[in-house]
Amino acid sequence: MRLKPLTLALLPSLLALSLCACQPSPPAAQDNAGATTDAAATAEADAAFQALAGRWLEKSMEFSPIAATQIGDHRYDDRIDDLSQGGRKRSLEFQRKVLGELDAIDVTALSRENQVDAAILRNQLRYDIWSNETLQSWAWDPQVYSQLAGSALYGLMAREFAPLPQRLKSATARMQQIPSLFTQMRQNLDPARVPKIHAETVSRQNAGILSLVDGLIVPHAGALKGEDRKQLDAAIASLRKAVAEHQTWLDETLVPNAKGDFRIGETLYDEKLAFALNSPLSRQDIRSRVEADIERTREEMYGIARGVLAGRDDAPAQMPDAPTQEQQQQVIEAALELAYADRPARDEVVDVATRSTEEATAFVRENNLVSVPDTPVKIILMPEFQRGVAVAYCDSPGPLDKGLDTFYAVSPIPDDWSEAQVDSFLREYNTRSIHELSIHEAMPGHFLQLAHSNKYPSTLRAVLGSGPFIEGWAMYGEKVMADAGYMDNDPLMQLINRKWNLRAMANALLDQAIHVEGMSREEAMELMTVTTFQQEREAAGKWVRAQLTSAQLPTYYVGYSEHLDLRNEVEQREGEDFDLKAYHDKLLSFGSPPVRFARQLMLDEPIR
């Protein structure tokens, strides 16, 4: 999972260099008057689009200062987002205005790269307007506010993009404003629409903002002197009081009165899915592909498991060529038990993640799979306010923050878990699974892909990076490593690789089955723990995540499918001339557009 910006913003002063990287050079003198006319029309259309995109990015920064910090525009580090009725209205009016101006541009006259960026911007504008007016998560999802509150401080203090005193003064200003965000949350939320799972999750996370204060701000408070230090101390004291008051409201008002349905239903789901994926694949297409791939992957796992168990005294009695469903299940589970036995201690998960990232990086370089960035990735404990949704994520610096650290954040095992819960977790995140996790999050997954993406000169495209491209690449990277022979002498690693593929397939199926088809917890747990071999703790956490989110879980599988389709098409076209590293480097050179557009750029087809 990649940690994405909460909202959209960016520094416009760099647009002249970065907004449209591949704008055509001024045309040389030509005898062909028609070609000269076409070039002039393209230059004019490109200039109009760049100006419009610049205005959108400029104003988006103003509306979303917390995301601006994440992206690397630090002019508004002392402000937070305004989610009041007036703030939302101003944002909506602006988005409608920009969309109208974009629709007036003849996109067919744009350069190919700008045609892609225009399509991406149009989808985002329509998505933002739909989210504000139709989905209305601001009225029923308290996570909108809690994530903003935590990110407001974490984005300032996690990286050294400016001198510490400057960042502390910005943190002071934001701490002074966070209580107003709590007020907006209490004014905007309708408890009758808030799902109980959302209310309970935010209630548990609320104190996490103080862990950020105590962990990232208080230890460095001595960097401020005089009046600045007094203001910092006062802001911390006020925030502590505000968090305590907010906790009381969460526990005594929101949680007891939360009556909403976490299932968003067929209409909202299909509309959101279309915006979030920006893919030609429909919900029905995804289901058909998933079901076929689950069956095929289980067959592969059975074949690997038979090889692992052959000749062992503890092997199942029957391992026929054509097994029943029960025999297939039994044999695969027996082989997986051998992988589960090799697992770290509860306090060694981060150490194993560090070592496995180093090993994966060396393998990618040695096998010349893709160009590897020189910048390092740091493995850290996940901040408390972000725990409870995913086990790990990659947090790359924003496209405007150059030379800063990338974090591969791993959630620690909760202190209050029983030994049985810890055992379940470590069976799922055994030593080989952590290797697979490191491939996905770091090398050659999110860290590598986003490092390439941030080199692409279109900052607009970087800000509006496609979730399916990004998540799909990380999953595709797992297959690239397996195909190249990473730990090839270890069939249990091959088995774990397929199991992780099954997890992504289950994600895509779960998301639509829960939100559209009314899948129960029992049915979801069976899909995860039986059909796709996940442990109880992993499955229970995913059930919570599927209730808290929608249209994000399918991004892994959909992007992966589209990446595979594109790779296969290019391989068939190029035949013996196909070069894997050259293919990967060219694909990643496009930034992080939806795969449909990467395909059109790669194959030199019309942008549509």
Side-chain angles (χ1 to χ4, degrees):
M1 178 181 178
R2 177 228 178 179
L3 181 67
K4 297 192 68 177
L6 296 167
T7 44
L8 306 169
L10 142 85
L11 180 65
S13 61
L14 297 183
L15 294 178
L17 296 176
S18 65
L19 185 60
C20 182
C22 302
Q23 178 183 358
S25 300
Q30 301 179 53
D31 293 332
N32 189 324
T36 302
T37 301
D38 289 346
T42 294
E44 182 179 353
D46 280 346
F49 172 71
Q50 288 182 25
L52 176 61
R55 291 196 301 275
W56 177 77
L57 290 163
E58 163 73 9
K59 200 66 175 178
S60 294
M61 171 200 62
E62 196 175 321
F63 286 134
S64 308
I66 294 173
T69 299
Q70 293 179 322
I71 290 164
D73 176 2
H74 298 293
R75 294 181 298 166
Y76 289 82
D77 284 353
D78 60 347
R79 304 184 189 182
I80 67 172
D81 300 34
D82 180 6
L83 297 185
S84 67
Q85 183 178 5
R88 298 195 313 274
K89 181 180 179 182
R90 288 188 292 272
S91 176
L92 180 61
E93 289 174 347
F94 172 71
Q95 290 159 350
R96 287 191 174 283
K97 183 175 184 296
V98 173
L99 181 59
E101 293 181 33
L102 181 59
D103 287 340
I105 294 176
D106 179 8
V107 294
T108 63
L110 295 172
S111 62
R112 286 173 57 78
E113 295 293 341
N114 270 338
Q115 286 181 33
V116 170
D117 282 2
I120 293 171
L121 178 56
R122 176 177 287 104
N123 183 77
Q124 185 64 49
L125 286 165
R126 294 179 62 232
Y127 193 3
D128 288 343
I129 293 168
W130 176 87
S131 296
N132 193 324
E133 291 189 320
T134 304
L135 185 63
Q136 297 183 341
S137 54
W138 51 267
W140 58 265
D141 188 355
Q143 296 176 107
V144 171
Y145 305 87
S146 64
Q147 288 294 314
L148 276 174
S151 296
L153 302 181
Y154 180 74
L156 291 173
M157 303 305 299
R159 291 188 176 88
E160 297 179 3
F161 59 82
L164 181 59
Q166 179 181 331
R167 290 183 286 128
L168 284 171
K169 285 192 282 187
S170 296
T172 298
R174 283 189 170 176
M175 284 190 290
Q176 291 169 341
Q177 298 167 68
I178 287 174
S180 70
L181 184 64
F182 292 157
T183 299
Q184 291 171 8
M185 176 179 176
R186 294 193 287 267
Q187 291 173 342
N188 292 344
L189 289 179
D190 177 1
R193 296 178 63 185
V194 175
K196 185 167 287 292
I197 183 67
H198 292 64
E200 292 173 343
T201 298
V202 169
S203 176
R204 289 193 299 269
Q205 291 175 336
N206 182 54
I209 192 171
L210 296 181
S211 72
L212 286 174
V213 172
D214 292 333
L216 297 178
I217 296 177
V218 171
H220 305 293
L224 294 183
K225 307 298 182 184
E227 185 62 28
D228 289 336
R229 175 61 188 270
K230 290 181 181 179
Q231 290 186 16
L232 175 66
D233 290 343
I236 291 173
S238 295
L239 182 59
R240 291 190 191 282
K241 180 180 178 182
V243 169
E245 291 174 350
H246 194 55
Q247 188 71 55
T248 299
W249 178 81
L250 289 169
D251 293 341
E252 297 182 3
T253 300
L254 185 64
V255 172
N257 294 292
K259 307 296 183 184
D261 188 352
F262 63 83
R263 306 177 198 272
I264 65 173
E266 180 176 359
T267 300
L268 289 178
Y269 182 86
D270 285 346
E271 291 173 351
K272 185 176 183 181
L273 190 71
F275 286 126
L277 299 183
N278 201 351
S279 165
L281 295 178
S282 68
R283 170 166 55 90
Q284 294 78 11
D285 294 333
I286 295 168
R287 172 176 279 281
S288 297
R289 286 195 177 206
V290 166
E291 290 174 344
D293 277 351
I294 286 177
E295 182 177 353
R296 176 188 54 77
T297 303
R298 284 178 57 99
E299 290 173 356
E300 289 181 4
M301 293 178 73
Y302 180 73
I304 296 169
R306 288 177 75 197
V308 168
L309 296 170
R312 291 181 61 96
D313 294 338
D314 55 353
Q318 294 181 320
M319 297 190 295
D321 293 340
T324 64
Q325 191 79 6
E326 291 74 21
Q327 289 170 332
Q328 184 188 69
Q329 188 77 20
Q330 184 181 16
V331 170
I332 295 173
E333 287 180 349
L336 285 172
E337 285 296 330
L338 302 178
Y340 299 156
D342 181 8
R343 55 186 186 262
R346 67 181 297 163
D347 59 349
E348 293 178 350
V349 173
V350 174
D351 291 339
V352 176
T354 301
R355 291 196 302 271
S356 59
T357 299
E358 293 170 350
E359 293 173 16
T361 301
F363 183 87
V364 171
R365 285 199 170 103
E366 291 166 4
N367 288 271
N368 212 29
L369 299 177
V370 60
S371 295
V372 177
D374 295 328
T375 53
V377 59
K378 289 188 175 181
I379 290 84
I380 64 169
L381 288 177
M382 186 181 297
E384 184 177 348
F385 81 99
Q386 289 172 329
R387 298 174 193 172
V389 176
V391 172
Y393 62 72
C394 176
D395 180 10
S396 296
L400 300 183
D401 273 330
K402 305 301 181 184
L404 299 183
D405 292 329
T406 292
F407 299 131
Y408 164 17
V410 181
S411 180
I413 297 174
D415 293 334
D416 60 353
W417 275 14
S418 67
E419 286 302 315
Q421 289 174 319
V422 172
D423 181 70
S424 174
F425 178 87
L426 291 176
R427 282 164 60 84
E428 184 71 18
Y429 289 93
N430 55 77
T431 301
R432 291 176 179 83
S433 284
I434 295 176
H435 272 273
E436 197 76 14
L437 185 68
S438 297
I439 291 170
H440 183 101
E441 299 295 343
M443 182 63 62
H446 289 320
F447 161 63
L448 180 141
Q449 186 267 317
L450 291 169
H452 279 268
S453 181
N454 282 346
K455 294 178 181 178
Y456 185 75
S458 169
T459 312
L460 175 69
R461 194 177 299 181
V463 171
L464 299 181
S466 162
F469 185 101
I470 294 167
E471 296 294 358
W473 168 268
M475 187 176 170
Y476 167 78
E478 298 169 34
K479 177 173 173 55
V480 169
M481 294 288 276
D483 290 347
Y486 183 66
M487 299 178 71
D488 200 28
N489 59 346
D490 182 359
L492 291 179
M493 185 65 191
Q494 299 172 34
L495 201 64
I496 290 295
N497 169 259
R498 270 68 171 184
K499 173 183 168 174
W500 274 61
N501 285 347
L502 283 181
R503 278 180 31 152
M505 296 168 197
N507 285 349
L509 201 55
L510 274 174
D511 197 59
Q512 60 176 263
I514 288 172
H515 285 284
V516 177
E517 301 161 15
M519 174 181 271
S520 67
R521 185 182 190 279
E522 292 71 23
E523 291 168 332
M525 293 295 286
E526 181 176 0
L527 172 65
M528 289 185 282
T529 61
V530 178
T531 305
T532 59
F533 304 103
Q534 298 173 51
Q535 295 299 301
E536 187 275 338
R537 279 294 85 193
E538 171 67 18
K542 192 65 61 65
W543 167 251
V544 171
R545 179 176 170 184
Q547 295 173 84
L548 292 172
T549 65
S550 56
Q552 193 279 327
L553 284 173
T555 57
Y556 306 87
Y557 175 80
V558 170
Y560 171 70
S561 295
E562 291 183 307
H563 275 296
L564 283 184
D565 289 347
L566 176 55
R567 158 88 175 269
N568 292 336
E569 188 169 358
V570 174
E571 276 192 286
Q572 290 175 7
R573 288 195 180 194
E574 297 186 359
E576 295 181 357
D577 294 331
F578 179 78
D579 182 296
L580 185 62
K581 182 181 180 183
Y583 169 80
H584 288 154
D585 286 353
K586 182 177 180 180
L587 177 65
L588 296 181
S589 75
F590 299 137
S592 302
V595 183
R596 65 191 297 179
F597 298 130
R599 177 188 177 278
Q600 291 159 13
L601 291 169
M602 178 75 75
L603 301 177
D604 198 26
E605 293 183 352
I607 306 300
R608 55 186 185 276

